[in-house]
Amino acid sequence: MIETEQNMSVVFDELSKEYDLETNHYTIVDKAFTFVSVRDSYALLDRISPEDFVKDEQMPYWAEIWPAAITLSEFIVEELAVAERKIVEIGAGVGVASVVAASRGGDVLSTDYSEEALRFIQLNSLKNDVSLDTEQLDWRCIHLKDRFDMLFAADVLYERVNLLPIVHAVDKLVKPEGCAYIADPRRRLAEQFLDLSFENGFSVTSYARSFSKGKQVVPVNIYRLSKSIDDNA
């Protein structure tokens, strides 16, 4: 425990020198969690060089905690048996769903395209005393050879150019008998994503949920994608 607290303090101090940090407290069903994020993600735009933006058009979306991530986390706790399951999260951001899944006994690999995000995932795993692995992953070019029982993703359907790569990522990363859960705040692009999923042989089940905080209510759909004949995973 002492070693974990020391490691957490080191990581937090390193990040606080580079970012304006914000500590967020959430109760996911019946358990309290603490997540560190960036207070103002737009302030990170100055870090992106014109060359990098032209190459990837990468915005620092990873730095915020989005309603869909909290809603997906609640769904994981309430509806899914993740203990001892091999799990990957893509576009994990600061790692909310990954940390929650790990807290329920999942064997979690938390991934993001941004290497900056991976440092926050490491910090948040230490903050919540869970064990998980991290790896940089570009969903346009999957290099992982492992396949997983479950794939999680929250609020990743924000660019049309990403839709088909995400479908292909699910196909490459999930075991034939496995499934993916994609949480989305009912963006219009989600309909195109579902069409592409059907075209690529997936069956889809939709769960209507919502995120509530004070007066803020955000509708969130969670899409379960599977190619399994036995669709009860």
Side-chain angles (χ1 to χ4, degrees):
M1 178 65 73
I2 294 176
E3 184 178 355
T4 298
E5 291 179 355
Q6 290 175 339
N7 291 340
M8 180 173 61
S9 179
V10 169
V11 176
F12 184 90
D13 288 346
E14 289 176 351
L15 290 174
S16 65
K17 294 175 183 177
E18 302 178 43
Y19 304 90
D20 182 12
L21 302 180
E22 182 175 35
T23 300
N24 308 270
H25 301 282
Y26 291 94
T27 298
I28 308 296
V29 184
D30 58 356
K31 183 176 174 61
F33 291 87
T34 299
F35 298 105
V36 178
S37 62
V38 177
R39 189 178 305 278
D40 180 10
S41 63
Y42 289 99
L44 303 183
L45 292 173
D46 292 338
R47 293 171 176 257
I48 305 173
S49 69
E51 293 79 13
D52 286 341
F53 185 79
V54 169
K55 176 185 175 183
D56 287 324
E57 295 188 7
Q58 290 293 322
M59 299 291 285
Y61 298 130
W62 62 266
E64 296 188 40
I65 296 175
W66 299 97
I70 300 299
T71 305
L72 177 59
S73 298
E74 293 172 342
F75 185 86
I76 291 169
V77 173
E78 293 173 341
E79 304 292 343
L80 303 180
V82 299
E84 300 182 5
R85 295 291 189 97
K86 194 172 181 180
I87 296 165
V88 63
E89 183 179 10
I90 63 173
V94 299
V96 173
S98 291
V99 167
V100 171
S103 77
R104 306 293 289 187
D107 178 8
V108 178
L109 175 63
S110 188
T111 74
D112 200 279
Y113 181 77
S114 169
E115 293 188 2
E116 293 179 277
L118 302 184
R119 299 168 66 195
F120 280 80
I121 297 170
Q122 179 190 13
L123 174 60
N124 286 324
S125 67
L126 292 169
K127 277 273 187 187
N128 293 282
D129 195 24
V130 302
S131 176
L132 53 73
D133 295 315
T134 62
E135 188 162 343
Q136 194 273 343
L137 181 68
D138 184 347
W139 56 45
R140 299 167 300 182
C141 182
I142 302 297
H143 61 268
L144 294 177
K145 294 182 180 179
D146 287 349
R147 302 194 82 176
F148 299 83
D149 298 307
M150 294 181 180
L151 178 149
F152 296 141
D155 211 343
V156 295
L157 309 179
Y158 49 82
E159 296 284 357
R160 183 174 285 103
V161 69
N162 290 334
L163 301 183
L164 188 57
I166 291 172
V167 173
H168 288 164
V170 172
D171 207 14
K172 291 178 180 179
L173 291 171
V174 176
K175 295 177 181 179
E177 69 277 14
C179 56
Y181 294 90
I182 314 291
D184 181 81
R186 301 188 185 177
R187 299 182 188 276
R188 290 184 178 180
L189 284 177
E191 295 181 7
Q192 296 179 40
F193 173 76
L194 296 181
D195 289 340
L196 291 169
S197 298
F198 291 131
E199 290 171 9
N200 282 271
F202 286 99
S203 62
V204 180
T205 304
S206 178
Y207 303 89
R209 296 288 177 123
S210 64
F211 168 85
S212 299
K213 185 177 181 180
K215 295 183 179 180
Q216 180 188 23
V217 179
V218 179
V220 175
N221 282 345
I222 297 175
Y223 303 109
R224 181 186 187 277
L225 277 62
S226 175
K227 287 188 174 181
S228 174
I229 296 175
D230 179 9
D231 206 29
N232 296 314

